[in-house]
Structures are given as structure tokens and as C-alpha cells.
Amino acid sequence: DGGITQSPKYLFRKEGQNVTLSCEQNLNHDAMYWYRQDPGQGLRLIYYSQIVNDFQKGDIAEGYSVSREKKESFPLTVTSAQKNPTAFYLCAAKIGAGANVLTFGAGSRLTVL
Amino acid sequence: GNSVTQMEGPVTLSEEAFLTINCTYTATGYPSLFWYVQYPGEGLQLLLKATKADDKGSNKGFEATYRKETTSFHLEKGSVQVSDSAVYFCALTSTSGTYKYIFGTGTRLKVLA
């Protein structure tokens, strides 16, 4: 089945450590996104990528980094510079230009101890 | 800039009750409008969408009509079930090709048997 796979589902991190969240898609979609979800705040855009080797900052990019070396993969690194990293992280993808539907992964929950 | 405002929850209903979740938006031009649903511990799934004024999106008994004159896209269902308990997100995207989606803060629905 085509879809988006995020891993790990749950992740615990000590303060000061970097952690990388994986996002893989087999939908052959061009655009990929990372969102952060906090209770009562909806979804906030961290980074997005329209094509391979290109990505743009979203509304809350500070403390995060991404790469897009392959069409299928868009990993997110939460660095030690992110002051409040505990959250639910969602990866999404869509076909390309135009107002198309976003397809989401199941999410990764990061907890900083 | 673009924005989405949806009613705060939680909304608690008895099974077979009528559901309305209000959503209004601010946007230039003619955005596409979406309702997504999120079940506990999962990512978001598209529920329905509408791409132009007066369009009605529908799925699984849910409906929403794109009202340009009132800038609204209210979600309705005639008879809710316990299985409809989830968080519902209203969202929009510009048709100008910016690839950015704007989400509301979500409305939690709880349906009691």
C-alpha cells in the first residue's frame, strides 16, 4: 500500500541531545512537510520541500533542520537548540503544484526527559 | 495573512445527535478548503474538501459547503456515532502555489453512547 511511514513512533531524549525523525513515502509525491502539534495549538509548519535538494523554512524552523536528498525521504533533526522539543511531529506529502490533498504519516511523539 | 478559526471544543454529544462544527477563514482570492480528522495517536486523514464557492464536500455522512459570502466552511453530520469521536481540523490552502496550508486549532468531538 502507498503511504507515509514515520519512525520511531515514540522517542525519548535527554536534554542536549540531537534526535532525527524519519519520514519515508512511496507515493511518488513531490512535496513533503513537517508539522509540529501541541495540545490546543493545531498544526504548525516547521519545514517543507517542494523538490529534491530544496527546502524552505516554515513558521517555527528554529532549532530544527532537514534534508531532502531523495524524493522518498525527508528526515527532521531536532537539535539541542530547540528549547521546547516535547511534541507530536507529523510528516505529510502531496503530489505537487496546486491545492492538492495532504497525506499524513501516523506521527512521532518526542519526549524530552 | 491567511487564517482559519474554528470553534473551540470539546463538543460532547449523544449518539444520533446532529453535529455542527463551525469554521471561518480569512484569505485572499479563492482558497481550497478541507476538513481533516485525527483519531487518538494517529496522523490526520482527509475527511472532505471543496475547491470553489458553493461546492459541497461530503464523506461518511459528513458535509460542508464552501460559502464565499460568509467565508465559512462549517462541518455537519445528521446523526453522529461513537466512532466519530476524534479531533476535527479545518484547513485551507492558497491556490497561488505557495504550498502552504493553514490549519485551525482543532475541535475535539466526544460522542456518548
Side-chain angles (χ1 to χ4, degrees):
Chain A
D1 288 337
I4 298 177
T5 302
Q6 290 188 239
S7 61
K9 179 70 172 175
Y10 299 96
L11 186 60
F12 297 89
R13 186 193 96 177
K14 294 181 180 179
E15 282 194 28
Q17 289 181 335
N18 291 355
V19 61
T20 297
L21 307 180
S22 171
C23 177
E24 301 283 328
Q25 57 110 349
N26 61 4
L27 301 167
N28 200 34
H29 285 358
D30 292 309
M32 297 186 74
Y33 303 74
W34 274 105
Y35 289 92
R36 172 179 170 141
Q37 184 178 18
D38 295 283
Q41 295 195 41
L43 275 67
R44 292 183 288 169
L45 181 64
I46 305 172
Y47 270 97
Y48 64 103
S49 168
Q50 299 178 23
I51 55 173
V52 175
N53 293 322
D54 184 59
F55 48 83
Q56 285 79 42
K57 293 182 179 180
D59 301 315
I60 56 164
E62 185 176 353
Y64 299 98
S65 66
V66 293
S67 63
R68 188 84 187 278
E69 297 177 359
K70 300 185 301 181
K71 189 175 186 178
E72 302 79 15
S73 179
F74 191 42
L76 173 74
T77 297
V78 184
T79 76
S80 57
Q82 169 51 235
K83 298 306 179 187
N84 184 21
T86 295
F88 191 53
Y89 292 88
L90 288 161
C91 179
K94 78 177 185 79
I95 290 176
N100 292 305
V101 173
L102 281 177
T103 300
F104 284 85
S108 293
R109 184 167 298 280
L110 172 63
T111 302
V112 174
L113 303 174
Chain B
N2 295 346
S3 67
V4 173
T5 302
Q6 59 182 108
M7 63 188 288
E8 292 197 18
V11 174
T12 303
L13 296 173
S14 298
E15 206 165 25
E16 300 184 2
F18 185 86
L19 169 70
T20 299
I21 300 178
N22 291 337
C23 172
T24 57
Y25 68 89
T26 302
T28 55
Y30 297 89
S32 290
L33 302 174
F34 306 83
W35 277 102
Y36 284 85
V37 59
Q38 184 180 35
Y39 298 100
E42 298 183 8
L44 278 67
Q45 305 172 25
L46 177 71
L47 183 58
L48 52 84
K49 70 173 185 177
T51 58
K52 59 182 186 294
D54 300 325
D55 265 3
K56 178 185 284 187
S58 62
N59 186 26
K60 299 180 181 180
F62 291 90
E63 293 183 340
T65 301
Y66 189 144
R67 301 289 188 196
K68 181 70 174 176
E69 64 277 13
T70 55
T71 62
S72 66
F73 192 55
H74 304 322
L75 182 68
E76 297 181 336
K77 186 176 185 183
S79 177
V80 294
Q81 306 299 312
V82 173
S83 58
D84 294 326
S85 298
V87 180
Y88 293 82
F89 291 90
C90 185
L92 69 80
T93 185
S94 166
T95 55
S96 65
T98 61
Y99 289 80
K100 292 184 72 172
Y101 290 72
I102 307 297
F103 287 85
T105 54
T107 301
R108 181 175 299 278
L109 170 66
K110 184 174 183 179
V111 181
L112 304 176

